[in-house]
Amino acid sequence: METTFEQLEVAITGKIGVITLNNPSKHHALSTALIDEMCAALEEMLYRQVRVVILRAPAGSKVFSAGHDVRELPTNGRDPLTYDDPVRRVIRMIELFPAPVIAMVEGTVWGGACELVMSCDLIVAGDDSTFAVTPAKLGMPYNISGVQNFLNTGGMPLCKEMLFTAQPMGVQRLVDQGIVSHAVPRAELESLTRRMAEQIANNSPLVISLLKEELRLLSASHNLGPETFERVQAMRRLVYDSKDYQEGIKAFFEKRAPQFQGE
Ligand code: YZS
């Protein structure tokens, strides 16, 4: 393979590609550098015509990914989650990737990493894994396509509970909602994922690519008019211009609970 990766391990064996997050000192936070490498790895896999991609953290990880790299979030009144946000870029790539991407989750999943995992086509997880969706804890004006991604994966009540409480949720609740396909002891996770990947890889790649696109189009078919979109953008701007947003980021770095005033 020609591309060199520093924050990932990338392997292609036969028709199966594996991307392993590899920045443990930052708990695999989704920095621009890491995401750029993920996009390059997916490009490579597209070129090599892999039929399934497995996205994983190193075996035994305590944290699958800590989510957005909070150090990269702007605090100068600019929108922190624009269309070009790195996490959004790779999510779009996964959604459009013409073969299934399986998230194989070990450990805790935070913030933007939850959306990343949920944008994968299938999720299998260790039975001790947890998922926390954190914008309300960080004061983040989460964007409408991101919220739609959460909603598309599960039911409205679970989606609201995760978004409003921002607390880590045990994987079994996500299995019950059909968001996670299987939660198994960590020792069984890799063989289960491989088995599933091989089953997919042996099927017709043309049909799978078609089904994936049809499902994507059907699940994204909530059109918003320009006026509604602009109203939501104005609400988001109120959030990223707020004192609470500054407080959320400040509290994160000071490792304390944020004190939100609603202003
Ligand atoms: O102090 P050093 O330099 O060693 O760095 C520490 C952490 O600052 C760093 N780190 C991160 N850096 C940037 N962005 C992050 N998200 C991030 N998370 C961690 O990694 C080094 C080791 O972290 P420690 O806290 O010392 O490790 P530990 O005590 O083992 O705790 C692990 C967890 C994962 C529990 C802890 O690091 C944590 O709570 N991290 C933040 C998780 C989180 O809330 N992520 C959501 C980020 N927000 C988003 O994705 C979206 C913007 S949103 O919130 O809207 O969904």
Side-chain angles (χ1 to χ4, degrees):
M1 190 169 294
E2 285 161 28
T3 320
T4 52
F5 297 95
E6 289 176 0
Q7 310 222 3
L8 301 177
E9 280 174 23
V10 178
I12 299 177
T13 313
K15 299 180 175 73
I16 300 175
V18 181
I19 299 176
T20 307
L21 304 175
N22 190 24
N23 185 8
S25 68
K26 296 287 178 213
H27 293 307
H28 319 293
L30 304 173
S31 63
T32 305
L34 186 143
I35 296 283
D36 284 348
E37 289 194 3
M38 275 181 79
C39 293
L42 287 168
E43 291 282 2
E44 181 113 21
M45 292 189 181
L46 191 64
Y47 178 72
R48 301 268 295 267
Q49 298 186 323
V50 304
R51 292 190 184 175
V52 194
V53 176
I54 297 170
L55 173 63
R56 60 172 296 176
S61 289
K62 183 181 93 166
V63 181
F64 175 84
S65 167
H68 269 85
D69 187 325
V70 178
R71 282 182 178 76
E72 293 185 352
L73 295 172
T75 51
N76 56 358
R78 294 183 61 186
D79 186 342
L81 292 180
T82 60
Y83 184 79
D84 290 325
D85 171 74
V87 177
R88 296 243 66 73
R89 276 197 284 121
V90 75
I91 284 175
R92 283 197 296 274
M93 225 172 146
I94 290 172
E95 286 169 348
L96 294 173
F97 195 80
V101 179
I102 304 177
M104 179 183 132
V105 173
E106 271 186 85
T108 58
V109 191
W110 300 87
C114 280
E115 195 197 332
L116 174 67
V117 164
M118 290 182 190
S119 76
C120 292
D121 300 286
L122 293 161
I123 310 171
V124 289
D127 57 8
D128 59 348
S129 52
T130 63
F131 298 75
V133 185
T134 51
K137 197 170 138 207
L138 213 59
M140 286 293 291
Y142 218 76
N143 42 23
I144 198 158
S145 47
V147 173
Q148 185 186 33
N149 280 342
F150 283 120
L151 192 55
N152 279 342
T153 57
M156 180 73 88
L158 185 92
C159 183
K160 284 186 175 170
E161 184 177 337
M162 291 184 88
L163 283 165
F164 297 168
T165 67
Q167 291 303 306
M169 186 172 280
V171 68
Q172 195 52 49
R173 293 280 308 280
L174 281 81
V175 172
D176 295 343
Q177 288 285 326
I179 299 171
V180 171
S181 295
H182 301 279
V184 296
R186 285 187 187 223
E188 297 166 24
L189 189 57
E190 190 154 351
S191 57
L192 170 81
T193 313
R194 285 265 165 200
R195 205 162 52 243
M196 204 181 247
E198 277 158 19
Q199 286 164 347
I200 294 169
N202 289 334
N203 286 334
S204 159
L206 290 178
V207 173
I208 290 177
S209 164
L210 168 67
L211 290 170
K212 177 167 170 171
E213 180 62 1
E214 286 173 340
L215 289 164
R216 185 185 74 82
L217 290 170
L218 288 169
S219 68
S221 60
H222 311 284
N223 282 329
L224 293 180
E227 197 181 315
T228 309
F229 181 77
E230 281 164 14
R231 186 169 59 79
V232 174
Q233 281 300 94
M235 288 174 74
R236 294 189 58 248
R237 175 155 198 176
L238 207 66
V239 178
Y240 64 77
D241 270 348
S242 69
K243 288 185 190 150
D244 279 0
Y245 174 68
Q246 303 287 342
E247 165 64 5
I249 303 281
K250 197 160 173 274
F252 177 88
F253 289 119
E254 292 171 3
K255 297 185 190 266
R256 61 172 173 81
Q259 300 296 318
F260 293 128
Q261 306 300 327
E263 52 190 54

